[in-house]
Amino acid sequence: MTTVLFSYFAGVIVLMAVLVVASRKPVNSALSLLVMFFHVAGLFVLLNAEFIAAVQIIVYAGAILVLYLFVVMLLNLRAEESYHKQYLVGLVVGLAILIEAVLILSRSGFADRALPAAAPAPDVLSGNTEGIGRALYTTYLFPFEVASLILLVAMIGAIILAKKGMFGKEEKRSLR
Amino acid sequence: MNFAVTDIGAVLPEVIVAVYACAILLIEPFLPKGRQEVLAYFGFAALGVAFYGTWNLMRTDLTVMNGMFVLDPFGNFFKLLLYVAAAMTILLSMEYLKREGIDRGEYYAFVLLATCGMMILVSASDLIMVFLGLELMSIPFYILAGFKRFEEKSLEAAAKYFILGSFSSGILLFGISLLYGLSGTTNLQALALHLRGAELQNPAWILAMILLVVGFGFKIAAVPFHMWTPDVYEGAPTPVTAFLSVGSKAASFAVFLRVFIEALGGIQSDWRFLLIFLSVVTIVLGNVVALVQTNIKRMLAYSSIAHAGYAMIGLIVGDSLGIFSLMIYMLIYAFMTLGAFGVVMLLRREGVEGDEIRDFAGLARKDRLTAFAMLIFMFSLAGIPPTAGFVAKFYIFMAAVNAHLTWLVVLGVVFTAVSAYFYLRVVMVMYMKEPDEAVQLSAPPGVVMVLAVAAAVVLLLGIYPSPFLDYAQEAVLKLR
């Protein structure tokens, strides 16, 4: 049962991810991304990580993607007339690398291997929300703090690059 | 698996730099326009305090934060280098930002946060930290590259660097996830242990290794992952370019070395071949393409690519002499590159971009000292004694000869000779050509200071390198 479900989720994820890149209309890309996020959440459920599954849907599908859609609609992007000229080269090289990777991974025995012992088993009693909280604030405290710094940088950076009137010289040398 | 308060002591330099960066962000809105350079002194203070901290922790060797972070002499060597590079970048920036009309306090905060990312990177002992450090280093650079957002070139640089950079991060992450899937751990030591006993026949290790090479190769600008370098170097504000080519490269090399020697040492025979190939292509392409550049920033970009190729030889050799030579190379490369970019900045003035090689015409007549400093940096980049560049190449080549890679040394020397052509062309233009017009160069004190320090260090390291060599010798990554 798990295998069937996994194959379904994984298959849809790959298909949707391809559609995100391949669609010519930006809205279609965003919607494919949405479907992909839902299926990723499904994978998390299969792994007994309900909390992350919920976060995946609330944050990614709920918040981030809606923002994407807003941007796409506001900017009124037109559908791409055609693919980039280099897409044929990209396709050939990409396929070659894909085939290589599949060949290597199919020989590596990933499929018929038990889960690595080091992966922490979810604590049934305390539930996995608490487990994640514990892990984040003990073992992974340092990475957690660094990640928060990264978000700070990204936020301020976006303001710097996008807000009007940040620089004195702007009016004088503006592009438009 | 608990968090110990004492662990904070080990990461104190990182915490200090991050706190100062946040303080800059908080104070910035209260400062009137045009007084933002006060914040640069905050940057110096942060780097000074962090330098003092790292200096005191220099010989400690311990792993903290549940194996996420390692404090060792190797990391500290690079941290000290990064503080100096960041401080020199701020010195270069102060006047430049004003002149370009981009004097916002956030600039200094981003420089500090990028430095913090690099510090985490050189001390990472877990692949999670490697990834986070790499992102904390890169994201400020994406923004800094586009800081002159009213200039098309700067925006192009930012967009290119951002898209390609996130793509390479994705590839690196794929490699990390494969390693995790194979071993069940992201810790470097645990990975090494796993590799020692593991079934090395499993080809997935090789695939993961290749993906990591792509990810790191992008950051150090090795061919064929160098496509972004010339455009980003040319478009980004010059002090940012200097910091990008020095700090980002040194930190990425440090982590490249740590991951490949410490964690993936067990499959050295596999990655060695791949890296030799990359190194050869990088040296050849970097030096040959640099020959035809007319823009000095693009030329320095290709020169930086070529230098990455030389430095990779130290990683390929992989023994303590190889690691030592790579550390020395990065140290020397940092000073000569910062100096060269400093001279480029002096040529910039209202109405003249100043980054074409022909803008150097007759510099020796206009400003003898600046021209002489540029001469030193160019000689050093070309590896001509008695400058430091010679010492750097000497140790790299010596390490390679010891490891029976003589053919690689021969190739390296041949292309060093090729590189002399385009470095010395700048010198020729400065000394032999007539100046186009009689203009007075501006000489902001910060830039002059950087030039003086860089030139002094390059000469000192070329003539009397032993104190630096002794220190690097002590700090060589311990091979377990």
Side-chain angles (χ1 to χ4, degrees):
Chain A
M1 185 61 186
T2 322
T3 322
V4 175
L5 278 176
F6 174 79
S7 316
Y8 164 70
F9 285 130
V12 175
I13 287 173
V14 172
L15 185 72
M16 287 300 147
V18 171
L19 278 183
V20 172
V21 204
S23 308
R24 288 186 188 174
K25 288 183 186 158
V27 177
N28 289 4
S29 290
L31 289 177
S32 314
L33 199 61
L34 180 72
V35 178
M36 197 197 87
F37 283 150
F38 273 106
H39 285 79
V40 172
L43 273 189
F44 283 127
V45 172
L46 278 186
L47 290 168
N48 291 325
E50 299 89 12
F51 178 71
I52 300 186
V55 168
Q56 171 81 21
I57 290 177
I58 295 170
V59 175
Y60 280 87
I64 294 180
L65 208 94
V66 171
L67 207 67
Y68 279 3
L69 278 174
F70 267 126
V71 172
V72 168
M73 306 260 187
L74 280 178
L75 290 184
N76 205 7
L77 296 172
R78 268 175 300 143
E80 292 285 321
E81 301 281 303
S82 62
Y83 289 114
H84 199 274
K85 266 181 252 157
Q86 291 167 328
Y87 87 100
L88 233 133
V89 184
L91 205 68
V92 171
V93 174
L95 272 180
I97 293 176
L98 179 71
I99 290 167
E100 268 177 49
V102 167
L103 271 181
I104 289 175
L105 291 180
S106 66
R107 281 186 206 172
S108 66
F110 256 123
D112 43 58
R113 205 188 349 196
L115 271 179
D123 193 340
V124 186
L125 283 177
S126 59
N128 66 37
T129 311
E130 194 182 331
I132 286 169
R134 258 178 213 291
L136 275 187
Y137 282 97
T138 54
T139 317
Y140 295 101
L141 178 74
F142 193 55
F144 182 63
E145 298 297 339
V146 176
S148 68
L149 270 184
I150 294 177
L151 291 181
L152 176 77
V153 172
M155 187 179 72
I156 295 171
I159 298 172
I160 293 273
L161 288 184
K163 191 173 172 281
K164 275 200 180 114
M166 289 297 276
F167 300 109
K169 261 189 180 172
E170 214 151 12
E171 290 77 34
K172 206 162 64 185
R173 280 159 63 171
S174 164
L175 289 173
R176 280 175 206 129
Chain B
M1 294 294 252
N2 260 321
F3 167 69
V5 182
T6 45
D7 284 2
I8 292 184
V11 295
L12 212 50
E14 281 80 3
V15 173
I16 288 167
V17 172
V19 166
Y20 267 96
C22 294
I24 289 177
L25 290 174
L26 286 176
I27 296 169
E28 190 269 328
F30 298 104
L31 287 174
K33 262 203 169 117
R35 299 273 302 138
Q36 305 273 333
E37 78 211 26
V38 178
L39 295 168
Y41 297 101
F42 268 75
F44 293 132
L47 295 167
V49 176
F51 192 99
Y52 175 75
T54 302
W55 187 264
N56 280 331
L57 294 168
M58 203 153 75
R59 285 189 176 73
T60 15
D61 194 346
L62 76 166
T63 309
V64 294
M65 302 284 175
N66 297 302
M68 295 279 165
F69 186 92
V70 60
L71 185 73
D72 60 358
F74 175 73
N76 286 340
F77 172 87
F78 276 99
K79 275 184 208 170
L80 294 179
L81 173 61
L82 291 173
Y83 299 144
V84 176
M88 286 169 90
T89 307
I90 296 180
L91 273 178
L92 288 178
S93 309
M94 289 165 72
E95 214 272 335
Y96 180 87
L97 294 187
K98 254 197 167 158
R99 195 161 19 131
E100 301 292 316
I102 49 172
D103 50 336
R104 299 224 32 124
E106 288 90 349
Y107 179 93
Y108 304 110
F110 284 141
V111 170
L112 285 189
L113 284 168
T115 313
C116 186
M118 293 171 199
M119 292 159 71
I120 289 166
L121 202 52
V122 299
S123 275
S125 73
D126 192 293
L127 290 174
I128 294 177
M129 291 317 298
V130 170
F131 177 69
L132 287 173
L134 216 54
E135 287 304 290
L136 185 54
M137 172 183 88
S138 311
I139 294 177
F141 272 127
Y142 301 150
I143 300 152
L144 288 174
F147 223 74
K148 284 203 270 182
R149 63 177 205 197
F150 38 78
E151 264 179 31
E152 230 167 317
K153 265 189 180 170
S154 182
L155 283 179
E156 183 196 335
K160 250 184 200 160
Y161 193 33
F162 174 60
I163 292 170
L164 292 175
S166 13
F167 197 64
S168 80
S169 295
I171 293 176
L172 183 80
L173 213 48
F174 191 20
I176 291 176
S177 67
L178 274 181
L179 283 182
Y180 181 65
L182 283 164
S183 63
T185 178
T186 50
N187 187 283
L188 298 187
Q189 257 86 50
L191 268 171
L193 263 173
H194 201 272
L195 257 182
R196 229 166 270 161
E199 64 296 30
L200 290 183
Q201 301 307 315
N202 196 337
W205 283 101
I206 313 291
L207 181 63
M209 179 272 289
I210 293 172
L211 293 172
L212 288 189
V213 169
V214 176
F216 291 133
F218 177 85
K219 292 292 172 208
I220 62 169
V223 177
F225 318 113
H226 69 288
M227 294 296 185
W228 59 280
T229 322
D231 291 335
V232 174
Y233 278 28
E234 188 191 354
T238 312
V240 174
T241 309
F243 196 36
L244 185 65
S245 72
V246 170
S248 162
K249 189 166 289 203
S252 306
F253 257 114
V255 71
F256 200 169
L257 196 80
R258 202 191 279 279
V259 170
F260 273 66
I261 305 269
E262 211 164 271
L264 299 179
I267 50 171
Q268 191 181 24
S269 51
D270 292 305
W271 55 255
R272 199 170 191 205
F273 176 73
L274 183 63
L275 289 189
I276 287 177
F277 173 73
L278 286 188
S279 161
V280 169
V281 195
T282 308
I283 291 174
V284 172
L285 196 127
N287 282 323
V288 170
V289 181
L291 287 176
V292 294
Q293 300 303 318
T294 54
N295 180 298
I296 185 92
K297 278 166 96 179
R298 284 185 90 84
M299 189 205 94
L300 285 171
Y302 281 105
S303 129
S304 132
I305 293 170
H307 282 287
Y310 291 118
M312 269 166 86
I313 296 177
L315 177 57
I316 291 162
V317 172
D319 56 8
S320 45
L321 184 61
I323 299 172
F324 167 75
S325 63
L326 174 61
M327 290 161 75
I328 286 294
Y329 204 95
M330 279 296 119
L331 172 74
I332 291 169
Y333 169 80
F335 282 100
M336 55 199 192
T337 308
L338 278 169
F341 278 112
V343 176
V344 175
M345 285 183 53
L346 279 184
L347 291 184
R348 172 91 202 218
R349 55 185 184 275
E350 205 54 55
V352 180
E353 204 66 51
D355 58 358
E356 295 294 323
I357 290 178
R358 60 164 186 275
D359 291 330
F360 280 83
L363 188 66
R365 303 265 169 82
K366 285 188 263 182
D367 192 335
R368 248 182 314 145
L369 280 176
T370 309
F372 185 65
M374 192 61 170
L375 175 112
I376 292 173
F377 301 135
M378 287 296 129
F379 271 34
S380 183
L381 282 166
I384 298 169
T387 55
F390 173 73
V391 177
K393 287 219 168 72
F394 174 77
Y395 280 101
I396 282 279
F397 290 153
M398 193 170 81
V401 169
N402 269 7
H404 309 292
L405 285 166
T406 318
W407 67 272
L408 196 55
V409 175
V410 172
L411 184 118
V413 172
V414 167
F415 278 91
T416 302
V418 173
S419 79
Y421 172 76
F422 60 83
Y423 290 127
L424 296 188
R425 191 178 55 180
V426 177
V427 176
M428 194 272 287
V429 169
M430 284 193 309
Y431 279 89
M432 312 287 187
K433 287 248 171 85
E434 289 296 318
D436 297 338
E437 55 201 306
V439 274
Q440 199 58 45
L441 287 180
S442 64
V447 181
V448 171
M449 211 147 103
V450 168
L451 290 188
V453 170
V457 172
V458 166
L459 280 181
L460 179 71
L461 268 162
I463 296 163
Y464 181 59
S466 48
F468 293 92
L469 298 184
D470 289 345
Y471 171 44
Q473 192 80 57
E474 264 178 61
V476 165
L477 182 69
K478 294 215 174 48
L479 297 166
R480 273 159 233 213

